[in-house]
Amino acid sequence: MPGIGQSGSSPAPHEDSLGVIISLPAELAAEIGARRARYAGPGAAVVPPHITLVSGRAADSWDEAASYVREVAAAGEPFTLSLRGTGTFEPVSPVVYLNVESGAENCAKLHDALLEGPVEHLLDFDFHPHLTVAHDLDADAMEQAKDEMADFTADFEVTSIGLFDFLAGGWALREELELGGNGKS
């Protein structure tokens, strides 16, 4: 999850970093991952395609923040998420993304609930649920991504959210938390 915002004095991920994402079904992740690699090269495959709900750090203790994320997941409900066509944050930020249509309100609700607890988040921009397909590439690659993915559509059920931390210099999935469940999926 490189490039995600962090609160505190340094924007770089650190030991208190915390991320909460929506992962994609394996087949869909593989398809989008292959397209991302076409635009940005093999290094793009390092970060699997996902939808970030929040990224930041624990306000006090990582365990306290993680416990709160578990509570938010348990109080949530599964929903259908639809990806439809491309958008961009240009000229503010060099990002081409897939639009989240159905399910955007559910993502925003989860995002807001996560920020009500002991999770700090530096909000450079308003939250906009999306799936990044190209980021900070040359103009031709950005345009190719925008054009080739313009008619892309996919629907899937979101039944869990992933809780990540930053260990040994990289993001690692700590837990996959069922929405509306009392345990791990």
Side-chain angles (χ1 to χ4, degrees):
M1 288 186 281
I4 60 176
Q6 303 291 316
S7 62
S9 59
S10 170
H14 45 77
E15 65 184 31
D16 290 332
S17 293
L18 179 131
V20 183
I21 70 161
I22 295 172
S23 297
L24 278 59
E27 189 173 303
L28 180 59
E31 178 185 355
I32 294 173
R35 289 184 185 221
R36 287 168 56 174
R38 278 200 350 242
Y39 309 133
V46 171
V47 178
H50 65 277
I51 297 163
T52 301
L53 294 174
V54 71
S55 60
R57 69 176 187 180
D60 293 313
S61 81
W62 199 95
D63 290 336
E64 181 183 332
S67 178
Y68 182 74
V69 173
R70 290 183 202 104
E71 290 174 22
V72 170
E77 295 181 9
F79 61 95
T80 300
L81 192 140
S82 299
L83 299 171
R84 298 286 186 268
T86 55
T88 181
F89 293 130
E90 295 173 319
V92 176
S93 181
V95 173
V96 174
Y97 58 83
L98 291 174
N99 295 302
V100 173
E101 283 192 358
S102 174
E105 288 182 21
N106 303 79
C107 292
K109 183 177 176 181
L110 285 168
H111 170 81
D112 291 344
L114 289 163
L115 294 183
E116 289 175 3
V119 177
E120 294 181 351
H121 186 67
L122 178 62
L123 296 173
D124 290 335
F125 308 103
D126 289 338
F127 178 70
H128 179 83
H130 67 282
L131 192 152
T132 300
V133 292
H135 179 253
D136 204 20
L137 303 176
D138 65 63
D140 290 341
M142 296 290 279
E143 195 61 34
Q144 179 185 5
K146 191 175 2 177
D147 291 346
E148 287 183 7
M149 301 291 287
D151 295 326
F152 185 87
T153 64
D155 300 299
F156 63 96
E157 289 298 310
V158 177
T159 59
S160 63
I161 56 177
L163 171 61
F164 281 74
D165 64 5
F166 195 77
L167 298 170
W171 287 101
L173 177 64
R174 178 71 73 93
E175 297 176 64
E176 192 68 29
L177 304 164
E178 289 182 27
L179 292 176
N182 292 321
K184 301 173 192 175
S185 58

